[in-house]
Amino acid sequence: MDLRLRELEVNDEREALAAHSEFPDWEFLLSYKPEYKWREYVSQTHDLRLGINLPKGRVPATFFIAEVDGEIIGRASIRHELNTFLRNYGGHIGYGVRPQFRRRGYATEILHKSLTYIRSIGVGEVLITCLDENVGSSAVIERCGGQLENIVDFEGKPLRRYWIRKH
Ligand SMILES: CC(C)(COP(=O)(O)OP(=O)(O)OC[C@H]1O[C@@H](n2cnc3c(N)ncnc32)[C@H](O)[C@@H]1OP(=O)(O)O)[C@@H](O)C(=O)NCCC(=O)NCCS
């Protein structure tokens, strides 16, 4: 599969904002607000990767666009370490695929490539979480080797916590 992960770029503005508007209750562009200047938003995501100007409560994280044949099909957010919130609920990696590109194995490939990346920066044991009701996401995690640790309450909903260990 010809899917690649790459950093967000200034000339992604139109397509990335279109993708962002396609998710009613999930953030494609993390912490994005319409009043932001695009160029500054892109540079903030690059800073976050390097741990520069980290907002309070955030850890260094890499934001990757997933691209197939030059089109944005999804994204991944890869946290380089866990804080208390991430250890309990958020996990190391979050991902999403645009509605028109679903059920083609893209999320599985995004997670697979994200695991290669996070291991390359020294994280061996990777926590991934998803709501129990998100059957698509739990299937993706299990396909990538996720072992269920437990199911916890997150804002009144059951949340599945999985570990993926290097073997
Ligand atoms: C969850 C999500 C990432 C899945 O993306 P995707 O590219 O469709 O996933 P894949 O094609 O890799 O799916 C792999 C398998 O998961 C299962 N699956 C995926 N979506 C499913 C769904 N809606 N219902 C049931 N099973 C599903 C299937 O078994 C699928 O394999 P198959 O198509 O061969 O049957 C996507 O629906 C999405 O972006 N949702 C909104 C954001 C989100 O929930 N992100 C995850 C946060 S934890």
Side-chain angles (χ1 to χ4, degrees), residues 23 26 95-97 102-108 129-130 134-137 139-140 143:
F23 293 79
W26 187 81
Y95 46 82
V97 170
R102 288 181 189 161
R103 303 304 293 262
R104 302 188 201 178
Y106 287 155
T108 308
T129 65
C130 70
N134 195 340
V135 287
S137 191
V140 167
R143 279 186 181 191

Side-chain angles (χ1 to χ4, degrees), residues 8-24:
L8 188 66
E9 292 163 7
V10 169
N11 57 11
D12 288 324
E13 181 172 9
R14 189 190 50 79
E15 215 187 338
L17 291 178
H20 187 67
S21 71
E22 292 163 7
F23 293 79

Side-chain angles (χ1 to χ4, degrees), residues 70-83:
E71 242 183 320
I72 293 177
I73 61 95
R75 64 87 160 154
S77 164
I78 303 166
R79 278 74 80 166
H80 302 184
E81 60 195 68
L82 298 176
N83 58 20

Side-chain angles (χ1 to χ4, degrees), residues 110-135:
I110 291 172
L111 181 54
H112 186 71
K113 287 198 153 65
S114 299
L115 287 167
T116 303
Y117 171 77
I118 201 168
R119 285 171 183 151
S120 79
I121 59 168
V123 180
E125 304 217 321
V126 183
L127 179 71
I128 322 260
T129 65
C130 70
L131 287 177
D132 189 50
E133 66 191 23
N134 195 340
V135 287

